[in-house]
Amino acid sequence: MMSSIAEELESIDREARAALAEATEEGQLESWWQQYLGRRGRLTQVLRSLPSLPLEERRQVGARANALKEALQTAYEERRAHLERVRLAREVAQAQLDVSLPGRPLPVGRLHPITQTLRDILACFQSMGFQVVEGPEVEWDYYNFEALLIPKDHPARDMWATLWVDYERDGERPMLLRTHTSPNQVRYMERHQPPIRIVSPGRCYRYEATDPTHEWMLTQVEVLAVDEGISMADLKGTLADFARRIFGAERQVRFRCEYYPFVEPGMDVLIDCFQCRGEGCRTCGYTGWIEILGSGMVHPQILANVGYDPERYTGFAAGLGVERIAMLRHGIDDIRLFYQNDLRFLEQF
Ligand code: DAH
């Protein structure tokens, strides 16, 4: 019994290897595999008969059979790879296949245009010593409005159409989706002492109908510097430098009074139109100037509320819309394009 199974294994070994060396085509390889290693293959049958053998014999024959199975499987794969190389070499030789042609291009992803512009903006401020900090998108009414000197029923609330999460009721604190990144000014000052230089990026939400210049979701960057002796000169120098780094070193910068409840004085920053160089065109609304952000000197009441001495410390703040900056930079005339996920648009950046 023992010798016959052992002999069968040896003849399988010999015959299988000889037959494999003869196989030159896919079909032959396939039937070779069926004949020896397949479900009804010769070697498979030997392996199946093992459990009926006495223990000692089963051990020896089993080890040999399993080793042979692995060896034949490897030989099969090597033969197949060898035939494939031969086939390719033949095709190359017959010039049916030109391996020097470029391969099929793989689609490569890229950063969203808003992410690209956001990173440029942050890098600009970081190089001036500002640190990046983030805050929550779901915010208390307190930080979004109250702490920024916009009390309940104050007309300035109309500047920000709000998406509410929870109205005020039963003494619960009202909660909302932040309408701007300005709440991070207060959040940061509550936990830190001057000197402060931060930029705070993030998404903001507004209860607004969309049109070419309005989205219900937008990205802002808040800027805040508080220290002894910070003046309008620091505000102007910092923001003018920012504007020139993003829109070109030759930009003219203008500051125009504007009301924001949390700064005094408040102002918008404008640059001369890079499209028409001040002549007047669609981009600048025929004024020659383009508004790029809001800013001002931090209201002394806000400094006092977070426990700073407003006689000792002063600061400036600014807030800018990343979509607006990206639109101006790339000449995009509809903000809604950013979030429609149309590759024909996104692949241009
Ligand atoms: N938070 C304002 C807005 O969303 C923008 C702004 C204006 C931010 C003036 C500031 C600032 O920090 O000083 O419209």
PDB file of all heavy atoms in Angstrom, residues 148 159-160 179-183 185 204 206 218 220-224 235 258-263 265-268 293-298 316-320, ligand 1:
ATOM      1  N   LEU A 148     -20.086  90.089  20.571  1.00  0.00           N
ATOM      2  CA  LEU A 148     -19.547  90.996  19.554  1.00  0.00           C
ATOM      3  C   LEU A 148     -20.349  92.307  19.526  1.00  0.00           C
ATOM      4  O   LEU A 148     -20.345  93.037  18.531  1.00  0.00           O
ATOM      5  CB  LEU A 148     -19.579  90.320  18.178  1.00  0.00           C
ATOM      6  CG  LEU A 148     -18.649  89.107  18.036  1.00  0.00           C
ATOM      7  CD1 LEU A 148     -18.931  88.341  16.745  1.00  0.00           C
ATOM      8  CD2 LEU A 148     -17.178  89.546  18.062  1.00  0.00           C
ATOM      9  N   MET A 159     -27.571  92.246   9.425  1.00  0.00           N
ATOM     10  CA  MET A 159     -26.429  92.081   8.538  1.00  0.00           C
ATOM     11  C   MET A 159     -26.128  90.597   8.307  1.00  0.00           C
ATOM     12  O   MET A 159     -25.434  90.244   7.369  1.00  0.00           O
ATOM     13  CB  MET A 159     -25.174  92.754   9.132  1.00  0.00           C
ATOM     14  CG  MET A 159     -25.264  94.282   9.199  1.00  0.00           C
ATOM     15  SD  MET A 159     -23.954  95.013  10.213  1.00  0.00           S
ATOM     16  CE  MET A 159     -22.552  94.992   9.104  1.00  0.00           C
ATOM     17  N   TRP A 160     -26.615  89.742   9.217  1.00  0.00           N
ATOM     18  CA  TRP A 160     -26.332  88.318   9.073  1.00  0.00           C
ATOM     19  C   TRP A 160     -27.622  87.505   9.202  1.00  0.00           C
ATOM     20  O   TRP A 160     -28.125  87.304  10.305  1.00  0.00           O
ATOM     21  CB  TRP A 160     -25.346  87.846  10.142  1.00  0.00           C
ATOM     22  CG  TRP A 160     -24.030  88.550  10.029  1.00  0.00           C
ATOM     23  CD1 TRP A 160     -23.007  88.197   9.213  1.00  0.00           C
ATOM     24  CD2 TRP A 160     -23.600  89.732  10.728  1.00  0.00           C
ATOM     25  NE1 TRP A 160     -21.959  89.081   9.361  1.00  0.00           N
ATOM     26  CE2 TRP A 160     -22.299  90.023  10.277  1.00  0.00           C
ATOM     27  CE3 TRP A 160     -24.200  90.572  11.681  1.00  0.00           C
ATOM     28  CZ2 TRP A 160     -21.580  91.119  10.749  1.00  0.00           C
ATOM     29  CZ3 TRP A 160     -23.485  91.649  12.159  1.00  0.00           C
ATOM     30  CH2 TRP A 160     -22.189  91.908  11.681  1.00  0.00           C
ATOM     31  N   THR A 179     -22.513  82.687  11.580  1.00  0.00           N
ATOM     32  CA  THR A 179     -22.693  83.430  10.334  1.00  0.00           C
ATOM     33  C   THR A 179     -21.383  84.056   9.876  1.00  0.00           C
ATOM     34  O   THR A 179     -21.288  84.580   8.775  1.00  0.00           O
ATOM     35  CB  THR A 179     -23.730  84.551  10.504  1.00  0.00           C
ATOM     36  OG1 THR A 179     -23.254  85.453  11.517  1.00  0.00           O
ATOM     37  CG2 THR A 179     -25.071  83.986  10.935  1.00  0.00           C
ATOM     38  N   HIS A 180     -20.387  84.033  10.769  1.00  0.00           N
ATOM     39  CA  HIS A 180     -19.058  84.550  10.430  1.00  0.00           C
ATOM     40  C   HIS A 180     -18.048  83.922  11.388  1.00  0.00           C
ATOM     41  O   HIS A 180     -18.430  83.205  12.314  1.00  0.00           O
ATOM     42  CB  HIS A 180     -19.018  86.083  10.490  1.00  0.00           C
ATOM     43  CG  HIS A 180     -19.589  86.686  11.752  1.00  0.00           C
ATOM     44  ND1 HIS A 180     -19.631  88.034  11.976  1.00  0.00           N
ATOM     45  CD2 HIS A 180     -20.109  86.120  12.870  1.00  0.00           C
ATOM     46  CE1 HIS A 180     -20.173  88.272  13.161  1.00  0.00           C
ATOM     47  NE2 HIS A 180     -20.471  87.134  13.717  1.00  0.00           N
ATOM     48  N   THR A 181     -16.753  84.166  11.155  1.00  0.00           N
ATOM     49  CA  THR A 181     -15.732  83.583  12.034  1.00  0.00           C
ATOM     50  C   THR A 181     -15.370  84.516  13.187  1.00  0.00           C
ATOM     51  O   THR A 181     -14.542  84.167  14.026  1.00  0.00           O
ATOM     52  CB  THR A 181     -14.452  83.247  11.224  1.00  0.00           C
ATOM     53  OG1 THR A 181     -14.165  84.329  10.346  1.00  0.00           O
ATOM     54  CG2 THR A 181     -14.641  81.966  10.415  1.00  0.00           C
ATOM     55  N   SER A 182     -16.014  85.686  13.247  1.00  0.00           N
ATOM     56  CA  SER A 182     -15.699  86.643  14.305  1.00  0.00           C
ATOM     57  C   SER A 182     -15.860  86.087  15.733  1.00  0.00           C
ATOM     58  O   SER A 182     -15.126  86.514  16.625  1.00  0.00           O
ATOM     59  CB  SER A 182     -16.528  87.918  14.121  1.00  0.00           C
ATOM     60  OG  SER A 182     -16.255  88.488  12.852  1.00  0.00           O
ATOM     61  N   PRO A 183     -16.811  85.153  15.984  1.00  0.00           N
ATOM     62  CA  PRO A 183     -16.894  84.608  17.353  1.00  0.00           C
ATOM     63  C   PRO A 183     -15.563  84.044  17.854  1.00  0.00           C
ATOM     64  O   PRO A 183     -15.313  84.046  19.062  1.00  0.00           O
ATOM     65  CB  PRO A 183     -17.957  83.499  17.246  1.00  0.00           C
ATOM     66  CG  PRO A 183     -18.404  83.444  15.827  1.00  0.00           C
ATOM     67  CD  PRO A 183     -17.915  84.678  15.150  1.00  0.00           C
ATOM     68  N   GLN A 185     -12.738  85.367  17.687  1.00  0.00           N
ATOM     69  CA  GLN A 185     -11.979  86.426  18.363  1.00  0.00           C
ATOM     70  C   GLN A 185     -12.192  86.316  19.865  1.00  0.00           C
ATOM     71  O   GLN A 185     -11.250  86.262  20.646  1.00  0.00           O
ATOM     72  CB  GLN A 185     -12.461  87.814  17.928  1.00  0.00           C
ATOM     73  CG  GLN A 185     -12.175  88.197  16.497  1.00  0.00           C
ATOM     74  CD  GLN A 185     -12.597  89.636  16.232  1.00  0.00           C
ATOM     75  OE1 GLN A 185     -12.618  90.466  17.144  1.00  0.00           O
ATOM     76  NE2 GLN A 185     -12.942  89.947  14.996  1.00  0.00           N
ATOM     77  N   CYS A 204     -18.909  79.180   7.267  1.00  0.00           N
ATOM     78  CA  CYS A 204     -19.962  79.967   7.886  1.00  0.00           C
ATOM     79  C   CYS A 204     -21.243  79.735   7.074  1.00  0.00           C
ATOM     80  O   CYS A 204     -21.180  79.312   5.920  1.00  0.00           O
ATOM     81  CB  CYS A 204     -19.602  81.445   7.849  1.00  0.00           C
ATOM     82  SG  CYS A 204     -17.998  81.772   8.598  1.00  0.00           S
ATOM     83  N   ARG A 206     -25.365  81.028   6.104  1.00  0.00           N
ATOM     84  CA  ARG A 206     -26.326  82.141   6.118  1.00  0.00           C
ATOM     85  C   ARG A 206     -27.651  81.728   5.498  1.00  0.00           C
ATOM     86  O   ARG A 206     -27.683  81.008   4.494  1.00  0.00           O
ATOM     87  CB  ARG A 206     -25.733  83.339   5.369  1.00  0.00           C
ATOM     88  CG  ARG A 206     -24.507  83.835   6.127  1.00  0.00           C
ATOM     89  CD  ARG A 206     -24.006  85.149   5.644  1.00  0.00           C
ATOM     90  NE  ARG A 206     -22.806  85.510   6.408  1.00  0.00           N
ATOM     91  CZ  ARG A 206     -22.007  86.514   6.129  1.00  0.00           C
ATOM     92  NH1 ARG A 206     -22.275  87.283   5.091  1.00  0.00           N
ATOM     93  NH2 ARG A 206     -20.957  86.772   6.866  1.00  0.00           N
ATOM     94  N   LEU A 218     -20.271  79.547   3.211  1.00  0.00           N
ATOM     95  CA  LEU A 218     -19.080  80.223   2.707  1.00  0.00           C
ATOM     96  C   LEU A 218     -17.914  80.017   3.662  1.00  0.00           C
ATOM     97  O   LEU A 218     -18.094  79.571   4.793  1.00  0.00           O
ATOM     98  CB  LEU A 218     -19.344  81.720   2.522  1.00  0.00           C
ATOM     99  CG  LEU A 218     -19.755  82.495   3.768  1.00  0.00           C
ATOM    100  CD1 LEU A 218     -19.137  83.872   3.751  1.00  0.00           C
ATOM    101  CD2 LEU A 218     -21.271  82.615   3.839  1.00  0.00           C
ATOM    102  N   GLN A 220     -14.674  81.721   5.628  1.00  0.00           N
ATOM    103  CA  GLN A 220     -14.079  82.997   6.025  1.00  0.00           C
ATOM    104  C   GLN A 220     -12.739  82.772   6.705  1.00  0.00           C
ATOM    105  O   GLN A 220     -12.444  81.678   7.194  1.00  0.00           O
ATOM    106  CB  GLN A 220     -14.995  83.739   7.013  1.00  0.00           C
ATOM    107  CG  GLN A 220     -16.197  84.393   6.369  1.00  0.00           C
ATOM    108  CD  GLN A 220     -16.866  85.402   7.285  1.00  0.00           C
ATOM    109  OE1 GLN A 220     -16.626  85.422   8.495  1.00  0.00           O
ATOM    110  NE2 GLN A 220     -17.710  86.241   6.718  1.00  0.00           N
ATOM    111  N   VAL A 221     -11.957  83.829   6.742  1.00  0.00           N
ATOM    112  CA  VAL A 221     -10.753  83.832   7.579  1.00  0.00           C
ATOM    113  C   VAL A 221     -10.844  85.073   8.456  1.00  0.00           C
ATOM    114  O   VAL A 221     -11.038  86.183   7.961  1.00  0.00           O
ATOM    115  CB  VAL A 221      -9.456  83.872   6.745  1.00  0.00           C
ATOM    116  CG1 VAL A 221      -8.243  84.023   7.673  1.00  0.00           C
ATOM    117  CG2 VAL A 221      -9.321  82.620   5.895  1.00  0.00           C
ATOM    118  N   GLU A 222     -10.738  84.877   9.759  1.00  0.00           N
ATOM    119  CA  GLU A 222     -10.746  85.970  10.713  1.00  0.00           C
ATOM    120  C   GLU A 222      -9.306  86.295  11.092  1.00  0.00           C
ATOM    121  O   GLU A 222      -8.476  85.398  11.216  1.00  0.00           O
ATOM    122  CB  GLU A 222     -11.517  85.524  11.975  1.00  0.00           C
ATOM    123  CG  GLU A 222     -11.917  86.647  12.888  1.00  0.00           C
ATOM    124  CD  GLU A 222     -13.105  87.427  12.321  1.00  0.00           C
ATOM    125  OE1 GLU A 222     -13.763  86.924  11.381  1.00  0.00           O
ATOM    126  OE2 GLU A 222     -13.361  88.532  12.821  1.00  0.00           O
ATOM    127  N   VAL A 223      -9.026  87.561  11.229  1.00  0.00           N
ATOM    128  CA  VAL A 223      -7.669  87.980  11.619  1.00  0.00           C
ATOM    129  C   VAL A 223      -7.785  88.757  12.920  1.00  0.00           C
ATOM    130  O   VAL A 223      -8.684  89.592  13.064  1.00  0.00           O
ATOM    131  CB  VAL A 223      -7.040  88.891  10.536  1.00  0.00           C
ATOM    132  CG1 VAL A 223      -5.593  89.221  10.876  1.00  0.00           C
ATOM    133  CG2 VAL A 223      -7.143  88.258   9.160  1.00  0.00           C
ATOM    134  N   LEU A 224      -6.895  88.510  13.878  1.00  0.00           N
ATOM    135  CA  LEU A 224      -6.939  89.262  15.134  1.00  0.00           C
ATOM    136  C   LEU A 224      -5.529  89.467  15.671  1.00  0.00           C
ATOM    137  O   LEU A 224      -4.743  88.513  15.775  1.00  0.00           O
ATOM    138  CB  LEU A 224      -7.780  88.507  16.178  1.00  0.00           C
ATOM    139  CG  LEU A 224      -7.848  89.159  17.566  1.00  0.00           C
ATOM    140  CD1 LEU A 224      -8.634  90.473  17.534  1.00  0.00           C
ATOM    141  CD2 LEU A 224      -8.463  88.193  18.589  1.00  0.00           C
ATOM    142  N   LEU A 235      -2.759  97.845  11.400  1.00  0.00           N
ATOM    143  CA  LEU A 235      -3.857  97.312  10.584  1.00  0.00           C
ATOM    144  C   LEU A 235      -3.592  97.576   9.106  1.00  0.00           C
ATOM    145  O   LEU A 235      -3.642  96.662   8.274  1.00  0.00           O
ATOM    146  CB  LEU A 235      -5.178  97.965  11.025  1.00  0.00           C
ATOM    147  CG  LEU A 235      -6.467  97.582  10.279  1.00  0.00           C
ATOM    148  CD1 LEU A 235      -7.679  97.786  11.181  1.00  0.00           C
ATOM    149  CD2 LEU A 235      -6.667  98.395   9.003  1.00  0.00           C
ATOM    150  N   GLU A 258     -16.668 101.836   7.331  1.00  0.00           N
ATOM    151  CA  GLU A 258     -17.821 100.940   7.263  1.00  0.00           C
ATOM    152  C   GLU A 258     -18.198 100.582   8.687  1.00  0.00           C
ATOM    153  O   GLU A 258     -17.339 100.521   9.572  1.00  0.00           O
ATOM    154  CB  GLU A 258     -17.456  99.693   6.455  1.00  0.00           C
ATOM    155  CG  GLU A 258     -18.535  98.634   6.374  1.00  0.00           C
ATOM    156  CD  GLU A 258     -19.802  99.119   5.677  1.00  0.00           C
ATOM    157  OE1 GLU A 258     -20.623  99.769   6.367  1.00  0.00           O
ATOM    158  OE2 GLU A 258     -19.968  98.854   4.471  1.00  0.00           O
ATOM    159  N   TYR A 259     -19.463 100.339   8.900  1.00  0.00           N
ATOM    160  CA  TYR A 259     -19.910  99.997  10.247  1.00  0.00           C
ATOM    161  C   TYR A 259     -19.890  98.494  10.484  1.00  0.00           C
ATOM    162  O   TYR A 259     -20.494  97.733   9.722  1.00  0.00           O
ATOM    163  CB  TYR A 259     -21.327 100.534  10.473  1.00  0.00           C
ATOM    164  CG  TYR A 259     -21.946 100.003  11.737  1.00  0.00           C
ATOM    165  CD1 TYR A 259     -21.465 100.396  12.988  1.00  0.00           C
ATOM    166  CD2 TYR A 259     -23.004  99.091  11.693  1.00  0.00           C
ATOM    167  CE1 TYR A 259     -22.019  99.890  14.157  1.00  0.00           C
ATOM    168  CE2 TYR A 259     -23.571  98.586  12.855  1.00  0.00           C
ATOM    169  CZ  TYR A 259     -23.068  98.988  14.080  1.00  0.00           C
ATOM    170  OH  TYR A 259     -23.608  98.494  15.227  1.00  0.00           O
ATOM    171  N   TYR A 260     -19.152  98.065  11.478  1.00  0.00           N
ATOM    172  CA  TYR A 260     -19.252  96.717  12.026  1.00  0.00           C
ATOM    173  C   TYR A 260     -19.325  96.895  13.530  1.00  0.00           C
ATOM    174  O   TYR A 260     -18.513  97.640  14.104  1.00  0.00           O
ATOM    175  CB  TYR A 260     -18.033  95.859  11.649  1.00  0.00           C
ATOM    176  CG  TYR A 260     -17.912  95.590  10.170  1.00  0.00           C
ATOM    177  CD1 TYR A 260     -16.973  96.280   9.398  1.00  0.00           C
ATOM    178  CD2 TYR A 260     -18.721  94.643   9.543  1.00  0.00           C
ATOM    179  CE1 TYR A 260     -16.864  96.034   8.037  1.00  0.00           C
ATOM    180  CE2 TYR A 260     -18.618  94.401   8.180  1.00  0.00           C
ATOM    181  CZ  TYR A 260     -17.686  95.099   7.429  1.00  0.00           C
ATOM    182  OH  TYR A 260     -17.578  94.866   6.082  1.00  0.00           O
ATOM    183  N   PRO A 261     -20.295  96.258  14.180  1.00  0.00           N
ATOM    184  CA  PRO A 261     -20.557  96.563  15.594  1.00  0.00           C
ATOM    185  C   PRO A 261     -19.377  96.291  16.523  1.00  0.00           C
ATOM    186  O   PRO A 261     -19.262  96.903  17.569  1.00  0.00           O
ATOM    187  CB  PRO A 261     -21.717  95.620  15.942  1.00  0.00           C
ATOM    188  CG  PRO A 261     -22.310  95.196  14.645  1.00  0.00           C
ATOM    189  CD  PRO A 261     -21.217  95.267  13.633  1.00  0.00           C
ATOM    190  N   PHE A 262     -18.489  95.356  16.123  1.00  0.00           N
ATOM    191  CA  PHE A 262     -17.441  94.916  17.048  1.00  0.00           C
ATOM    192  C   PHE A 262     -16.115  95.634  16.858  1.00  0.00           C
ATOM    193  O   PHE A 262     -15.107  95.268  17.462  1.00  0.00           O
ATOM    194  CB  PHE A 262     -17.230  93.398  16.913  1.00  0.00           C
ATOM    195  CG  PHE A 262     -17.484  92.885  15.516  1.00  0.00           C
ATOM    196  CD1 PHE A 262     -16.450  92.809  14.598  1.00  0.00           C
ATOM    197  CD2 PHE A 262     -18.769  92.501  15.126  1.00  0.00           C
ATOM    198  CE1 PHE A 262     -16.689  92.346  13.312  1.00  0.00           C
ATOM    199  CE2 PHE A 262     -19.009  92.039  13.832  1.00  0.00           C
ATOM    200  CZ  PHE A 262     -17.974  91.969  12.927  1.00  0.00           C
ATOM    201  N   VAL A 263     -16.084  96.638  15.971  1.00  0.00           N
ATOM    202  CA  VAL A 263     -14.853  97.413  15.792  1.00  0.00           C
ATOM    203  C   VAL A 263     -15.172  98.905  15.842  1.00  0.00           C
ATOM    204  O   VAL A 263     -16.272  99.335  15.539  1.00  0.00           O
ATOM    205  CB  VAL A 263     -14.150  97.073  14.451  1.00  0.00           C
ATOM    206  CG1 VAL A 263     -13.379  95.769  14.565  1.00  0.00           C
ATOM    207  CG2 VAL A 263     -15.141  97.035  13.313  1.00  0.00           C
ATOM    208  N   PRO A 265     -12.683 102.448  15.044  1.00  0.00           N
ATOM    209  CA  PRO A 265     -13.529 102.535  13.862  1.00  0.00           C
ATOM    210  C   PRO A 265     -13.503 101.248  13.040  1.00  0.00           C
ATOM    211  O   PRO A 265     -12.610 100.451  13.178  1.00  0.00           O
ATOM    212  CB  PRO A 265     -12.872 103.675  13.075  1.00  0.00           C
ATOM    213  CG  PRO A 265     -11.428 103.586  13.434  1.00  0.00           C
ATOM    214  CD  PRO A 265     -11.390 103.136  14.867  1.00  0.00           C
ATOM    215  N   GLY A 266     -14.547 101.117  12.150  1.00  0.00           N
ATOM    216  CA  GLY A 266     -14.587  99.971  11.252  1.00  0.00           C
ATOM    217  C   GLY A 266     -14.328 100.433   9.834  1.00  0.00           C
ATOM    218  O   GLY A 266     -14.630 101.576   9.487  1.00  0.00           O
ATOM    219  N   MET A 267     -13.756  99.566   9.035  1.00  0.00           N
ATOM    220  CA  MET A 267     -13.488  99.971   7.640  1.00  0.00           C
ATOM    221  C   MET A 267     -13.405  98.765   6.713  1.00  0.00           C
ATOM    222  O   MET A 267     -13.065  97.662   7.132  1.00  0.00           O
ATOM    223  CB  MET A 267     -12.203 100.783   7.564  1.00  0.00           C
ATOM    224  CG  MET A 267     -10.962 100.011   7.900  1.00  0.00           C
ATOM    225  SD  MET A 267      -9.729 101.049   8.688  1.00  0.00           S
ATOM    226  CE  MET A 267     -10.294 101.059  10.371  1.00  0.00           C
ATOM    227  N   ASP A 268     -13.738  99.034   5.445  1.00  0.00           N
ATOM    228  CA  ASP A 268     -13.532  98.016   4.422  1.00  0.00           C
ATOM    229  C   ASP A 268     -12.205  98.293   3.723  1.00  0.00           C
ATOM    230  O   ASP A 268     -11.787  99.446   3.611  1.00  0.00           O
ATOM    231  CB  ASP A 268     -14.668  98.055   3.387  1.00  0.00           C
ATOM    232  CG  ASP A 268     -15.898  97.305   3.892  1.00  0.00           C
ATOM    233  OD1 ASP A 268     -15.752  96.509   4.841  1.00  0.00           O
ATOM    234  OD2 ASP A 268     -16.997  97.530   3.344  1.00  0.00           O
ATOM    235  N   LEU A 293     -12.207  92.942   1.969  1.00  0.00           N
ATOM    236  CA  LEU A 293     -12.457  92.452   3.328  1.00  0.00           C
ATOM    237  C   LEU A 293     -12.948  93.564   4.239  1.00  0.00           C
ATOM    238  O   LEU A 293     -12.872  94.748   3.899  1.00  0.00           O
ATOM    239  CB  LEU A 293     -11.183  91.812   3.909  1.00  0.00           C
ATOM    240  CG  LEU A 293      -9.890  92.616   3.944  1.00  0.00           C
ATOM    241  CD1 LEU A 293      -9.777  93.433   5.233  1.00  0.00           C
ATOM    242  CD2 LEU A 293      -8.703  91.671   3.853  1.00  0.00           C
ATOM    243  N   GLY A 294     -13.464  93.142   5.416  1.00  0.00           N
ATOM    244  CA  GLY A 294     -13.903  94.087   6.431  1.00  0.00           C
ATOM    245  C   GLY A 294     -12.897  94.071   7.574  1.00  0.00           C
ATOM    246  O   GLY A 294     -12.258  93.053   7.832  1.00  0.00           O
ATOM    247  N   SER A 295     -12.766  95.221   8.255  1.00  0.00           N
ATOM    248  CA  SER A 295     -11.756  95.271   9.319  1.00  0.00           C
ATOM    249  C   SER A 295     -12.046  96.415  10.276  1.00  0.00           C
ATOM    250  O   SER A 295     -13.017  97.153  10.103  1.00  0.00           O
ATOM    251  CB  SER A 295     -10.370  95.467   8.696  1.00  0.00           C
ATOM    252  OG  SER A 295     -10.313  96.739   8.079  1.00  0.00           O
ATOM    253  N   GLY A 296     -11.183  96.572  11.261  1.00  0.00           N
ATOM    254  CA  GLY A 296     -11.332  97.686  12.183  1.00  0.00           C
ATOM    255  C   GLY A 296     -10.498  97.486  13.431  1.00  0.00           C
ATOM    256  O   GLY A 296      -9.834  96.462  13.589  1.00  0.00           O
ATOM    257  N   MET A 297     -10.534  98.504  14.308  1.00  0.00           N
ATOM    258  CA  MET A 297      -9.849  98.390  15.595  1.00  0.00           C
ATOM    259  C   MET A 297     -10.820  97.744  16.578  1.00  0.00           C
ATOM    260  O   MET A 297     -11.960  98.193  16.715  1.00  0.00           O
ATOM    261  CB  MET A 297      -9.430  99.779  16.099  1.00  0.00           C
ATOM    262  CG  MET A 297      -8.478 100.515  15.153  1.00  0.00           C
ATOM    263  SD  MET A 297      -6.960  99.582  14.765  1.00  0.00           S
ATOM    264  CE  MET A 297      -6.123  99.608  16.355  1.00  0.00           C
ATOM    265  N   VAL A 298     -10.348  96.710  17.267  1.00  0.00           N
ATOM    266  CA  VAL A 298     -11.220  95.959  18.175  1.00  0.00           C
ATOM    267  C   VAL A 298     -11.863  96.910  19.188  1.00  0.00           C
ATOM    268  O   VAL A 298     -11.185  97.747  19.793  1.00  0.00           O
ATOM    269  CB  VAL A 298     -10.422  94.868  18.928  1.00  0.00           C
ATOM    270  CG1 VAL A 298     -11.349  94.093  19.867  1.00  0.00           C
ATOM    271  CG2 VAL A 298      -9.756  93.925  17.932  1.00  0.00           C
ATOM    272  N   PHE A 316      -6.381  95.063  16.328  1.00  0.00           N
ATOM    273  CA  PHE A 316      -7.160  95.190  15.094  1.00  0.00           C
ATOM    274  C   PHE A 316      -7.681  93.823  14.686  1.00  0.00           C
ATOM    275  O   PHE A 316      -7.125  92.789  15.075  1.00  0.00           O
ATOM    276  CB  PHE A 316      -6.373  95.863  13.955  1.00  0.00           C
ATOM    277  CG  PHE A 316      -5.291  95.022  13.333  1.00  0.00           C
ATOM    278  CD1 PHE A 316      -5.586  94.061  12.372  1.00  0.00           C
ATOM    279  CD2 PHE A 316      -3.962  95.221  13.694  1.00  0.00           C
ATOM    280  CE1 PHE A 316      -4.582  93.302  11.782  1.00  0.00           C
ATOM    281  CE2 PHE A 316      -2.945  94.456  13.110  1.00  0.00           C
ATOM    282  CZ  PHE A 316      -3.257  93.492  12.159  1.00  0.00           C
ATOM    283  N   ALA A 317      -8.787  93.841  13.925  1.00  0.00           N
ATOM    284  CA  ALA A 317      -9.403  92.599  13.466  1.00  0.00           C
ATOM    285  C   ALA A 317      -9.791  92.760  12.007  1.00  0.00           C
ATOM    286  O   ALA A 317      -9.952  93.888  11.518  1.00  0.00           O
ATOM    287  CB  ALA A 317     -10.636  92.269  14.297  1.00  0.00           C
ATOM    288  N   ALA A 318      -9.924  91.638  11.327  1.00  0.00           N
ATOM    289  CA  ALA A 318     -10.383  91.666   9.941  1.00  0.00           C
ATOM    290  C   ALA A 318     -11.065  90.351   9.638  1.00  0.00           C
ATOM    291  O   ALA A 318     -10.813  89.347  10.297  1.00  0.00           O
ATOM    292  CB  ALA A 318      -9.215  91.885   8.973  1.00  0.00           C
ATOM    293  N   GLY A 319     -11.978  90.386   8.679  1.00  0.00           N
ATOM    294  CA  GLY A 319     -12.640  89.166   8.259  1.00  0.00           C
ATOM    295  C   GLY A 319     -12.759  89.173   6.749  1.00  0.00           C
ATOM    296  O   GLY A 319     -13.132  90.190   6.158  1.00  0.00           O
ATOM    297  N   LEU A 320     -12.401  88.054   6.132  1.00  0.00           N
ATOM    298  CA  LEU A 320     -12.490  88.038   4.669  1.00  0.00           C
ATOM    299  C   LEU A 320     -13.155  86.760   4.191  1.00  0.00           C
ATOM    300  O   LEU A 320     -13.092  85.718   4.834  1.00  0.00           O
ATOM    301  CB  LEU A 320     -11.109  88.222   4.051  1.00  0.00           C
ATOM    302  CG  LEU A 320      -9.994  87.275   4.456  1.00  0.00           C
ATOM    303  CD1 LEU A 320      -9.937  86.102   3.513  1.00  0.00           C
ATOM    304  CD2 LEU A 320      -8.680  88.009   4.465  1.00  0.00           C
TER     305      LEU A 320
HETATM  306  N1  DAH B   1     -17.589  89.312  10.396  1.00  0.00           N
HETATM  307  C1  DAH B   1     -17.804  90.270   9.327  1.00  0.00           C
HETATM  308  C2  DAH B   1     -18.779  89.687   8.312  1.00  0.00           C
HETATM  309  O1  DAH B   1     -18.935  88.512   8.250  1.00  0.00           O
HETATM  310  C3  DAH B   1     -16.505  90.625   8.662  1.00  0.00           C
HETATM  311  C4  DAH B   1     -15.637  91.441   9.550  1.00  0.00           C
HETATM  312  C5  DAH B   1     -15.689  92.814   9.493  1.00  0.00           C
HETATM  313  C6  DAH B   1     -14.749  90.838  10.442  1.00  0.00           C
HETATM  314  C7  DAH B   1     -14.883  93.595  10.305  1.00  0.00           C
HETATM  315  C8  DAH B   1     -13.927  91.594  11.264  1.00  0.00           C
HETATM  316  C9  DAH B   1     -14.004  92.999  11.165  1.00  0.00           C
HETATM  317  O2  DAH B   1     -13.067  91.057  12.120  1.00  0.00           O
HETATM  318  O3  DAH B   1     -13.186  93.730  11.971  1.00  0.00           O
HETATM  319  O4  DAH B   1     -19.370  90.417   7.584  1.00  0.00           O
END
